[in-house]
């Protein structure tokens, strides 16, 4: 016969401290849920992330953190600490994954992947002619051919599930490593001591050093090295841009834009991902890319990205001939400044406006 609701039960009893702790945890969870719901409701529809992008962003973050966890697990003997497990929940609870630099980088990577997937497959005018990158890989100049083959290899390796962390900017890679290591240490609890602290720090430093040695294998670094070896002249740039776009070689396209404008690869990526495309139009116009070439490039990007306004783009292209290229050169000059300086100025202006 089952005991009544007020009769004693067998097994360990639940004391008052346990009940208070559970009640406090339930209240904290309810409060966090309420705050998250309020933040979600406050987001205007125009700024709300679509579900496809949100899932891709979440998946990329999980994959990155998992890769870093496995790296540290392999370097540090954590088997004696059963409490050490997935660290992402701790990073989320601490608000670390809301770091603007991390969010900007992951969102840009997701958007770039989506853009590359949406680019159409162009049938070449001459089916027997290899693509631009394959032609460069067979170039008689050894340095140029090697740079092209390095990019081909980097693009292939970047598709591996565990390769994401090697493609991060060094500072962000190091930052994520320290976060994951710190979360692991907190999970180990009082059973661990200074020995584990030292082992985790040593593992992080070793991973950072390995990333530094492998920096040349990053897709962005390999693409920039290839363009530097190619050393295109200004009159060659429009043709190369269009060839890279038709071949769906987005990293090469970005490296060519960065080379032509003298800006960082990340800045070129920002231009390409700008849904309005006004900045990209101005930069290409300043680089003396013909109007027809600008139109092909931007309309192709528009067709690959549903966020873009085709009619507004057509209107912007129509006014290009009347624009002074100096406007684009001024924009390029701003993009050549240190990003930390520009971010600080923007923050100060926001403070003054507020």
């Amino acid at each position: 016969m089952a005991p009544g609701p007020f009769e004693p039960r067998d097994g360990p009893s639940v004391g008052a401290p346990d009940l208070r702790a559970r009640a406090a945890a339930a209240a904290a969870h309810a409060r966090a849920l309420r705050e998250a719901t309020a933040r979600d409701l406050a987001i205007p529809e125009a700024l709300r992330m679509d579900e496809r992008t949100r899932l891709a962003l979440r998946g990329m973050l999980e994959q990155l953190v998992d890769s870093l966890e496995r790296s540290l697990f392999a370097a540090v003997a954590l088997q004696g600490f059963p409490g050490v497990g997935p660290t992402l929940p701790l990073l989320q609870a601490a608000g670390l994954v809301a770091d603007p630099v991390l969010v900007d980088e992951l969102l840009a990577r997701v958007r770039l992947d989506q853009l590359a997937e949406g680019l159409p497959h162009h049938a070449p005018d001459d089916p027997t002619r290899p693509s631009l990158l394959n032609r460069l890989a067979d170039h008689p100049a050894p340095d140029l051919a090697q740079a092209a083959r390095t990019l081909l290899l980097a693009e292939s390796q970047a598709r591996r599930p565990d390769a994401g962390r090697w493609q991060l900017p060094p500072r962000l890679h190091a930052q994520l490593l320290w976060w994951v290591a710190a979360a692991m240490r907190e999970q180990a609890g009082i059973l661990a001591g200074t020995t584990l602290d030292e082992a985790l720090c040593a593992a992080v430093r070793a991973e950072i050093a390995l990333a530094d040695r492998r920096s040349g294998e990053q897709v962005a670094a390999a693409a920039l090295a290839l363009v530097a070896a190619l050393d295109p002249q200004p009159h060659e740039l429009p043709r190369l841009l269009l060839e890279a776009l038709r071949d769906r070689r987005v990293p090469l396209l970005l490296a060519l834009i960065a080379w032509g404008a003298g800006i960082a690869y990340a800045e070129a990526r920002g231009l390409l991902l700008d849904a309005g495309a006004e900045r990209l139009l101005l930069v290409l116009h300043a680089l003396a890319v013909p109007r027809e070439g600008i139109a092909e490039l931007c309309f192709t990007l528009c067709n690959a990205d549903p966020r873009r306004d085709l009619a507004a783009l057509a209107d912007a292209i129509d006014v290009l001939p009347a624009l002074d290229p100096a406007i684009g050169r001024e924009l390029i000059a701003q993009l050549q400044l240190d990003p930390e300086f520009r971010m600080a100025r923007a923050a100060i202006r926001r403070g003054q406006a507020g």
Side-chain angles (χ1 to χ4, degrees):
M1 178 176 172
F6 302 108
E7 296 180 23
R9 289 170 168 78
D10 295 332
S13 60
V14 177
D18 296 312
L19 287 175
R20 282 198 297 270
R22 292 183 187 182
H29 177 75
R31 183 171 59 253
L33 181 61
R34 182 173 63 252
E35 292 171 354
T37 302
R39 288 193 300 269
D40 184 71
L41 290 173
I43 300 174
E45 283 302 315
L47 299 179
R48 189 173 295 278
M49 190 180 299
D50 62 274
E51 189 67 7
R52 177 187 172 217
T53 301
R54 189 189 69 80
L55 291 175
L57 194 62
R58 171 78 186 202
M60 182 174 288
L61 177 61
E62 289 175 347
Q63 200 171 64
L64 278 172
V65 172
D66 178 70
S67 177
L68 296 174
E69 287 171 352
R70 285 187 283 108
S71 172
L72 295 179
F73 262 107
V76 180
L78 291 165
Q79 293 79 6
F81 304 98
V84 178
T87 60
L88 185 56
L90 271 71
L91 302 183
Q92 291 172 317
L96 295 176
V97 296
D99 177 75
V101 176
L102 174 63
V103 172
D104 283 350
E105 179 65 23
L106 295 185
L107 184 58
R109 288 160 62 93
V110 166
R111 295 281 194 207
L112 200 64
D113 287 345
Q114 293 174 340
L115 186 67
E117 291 170 6
L119 289 175
H121 291 268
H122 283 278
D125 296 333
D126 181 1
T128 64
R129 191 184 191 213
S131 68
L132 172 62
L133 192 51
N134 287 328
R135 293 201 314 274
L136 293 175
D138 292 328
H139 199 277
D143 291 347
L144 186 53
Q146 181 57 48
R149 288 194 289 269
T150 299
L151 177 55
L152 286 168
L153 179 61
E155 288 183 336
S156 175
Q157 291 179 334
R159 288 190 284 270
R160 291 168 41 195
D162 63 338
R165 73 183 195 271
W166 303 119
Q167 305 301 321
L168 288 172
R171 185 182 300 180
L172 186 55
H173 176 239
Q175 181 175 285
L176 268 176
L177 272 169
W178 289 119
W179 288 352
V180 171
M184 286 179 165
R185 178 59 184 86
E186 291 305 307
Q187 288 174 331
I190 59 174
L191 295 177
T194 306
T195 301
L196 180 59
D197 295 339
E198 294 172 347
L200 282 168
C201 288
V204 169
R205 289 193 296 269
E207 174 84 1
I208 292 172
L210 178 58
D212 184 59
R213 292 194 297 273
R214 297 186 58 169
S215 60
E217 301 174 19
Q218 289 189 346
V219 172
L224 289 168
L226 172 58
V227 175
L230 186 60
D231 191 17
Q233 299 304 302
H235 70 274
E236 298 174 308
L237 192 62
R239 174 183 60 82
L240 294 171
L241 287 171
L242 291 175
E243 275 205 76
L245 178 69
R246 293 164 185 164
D247 292 343
R248 305 173 80 242
R249 296 289 185 182
V250 175
L252 181 55
L253 174 65
L254 290 175
L256 286 165
I257 294 172
W259 173 269
I263 59 177
Y265 185 92
E267 301 295 349
R269 183 180 65 182
L271 293 175
L272 202 71
L273 293 178
D274 189 352
E278 291 86 0
R279 296 191 307 153
L280 180 61
L281 289 173
L282 291 173
V283 168
L284 294 176
H285 185 52
L287 296 178
V289 177
R291 179 180 175 279
E292 295 75 15
I294 294 176
E296 179 181 343
L297 195 151
C298 290
F299 283 134
T300 301
L301 295 175
C302 192
N303 290 330
D305 185 351
R307 300 176 303 141
R308 306 193 183 215
D309 187 334
L310 183 60
L313 176 62
D315 291 340
I317 291 174
D318 284 342
V319 302
L320 275 181
L323 284 180
D324 185 348
I327 300 174
R329 289 194 290 269
E330 175 61 26
L331 172 58
I332 290 172
Q334 288 295 315
L335 294 174
Q336 290 172 341
L337 298 173
D338 293 85
E340 292 84 1
F341 174 71
R342 288 185 281 118
M343 289 172 61
R345 287 195 64 195
I348 290 170
R349 287 196 295 268
R350 287 195 299 270
Q352 291 173 334

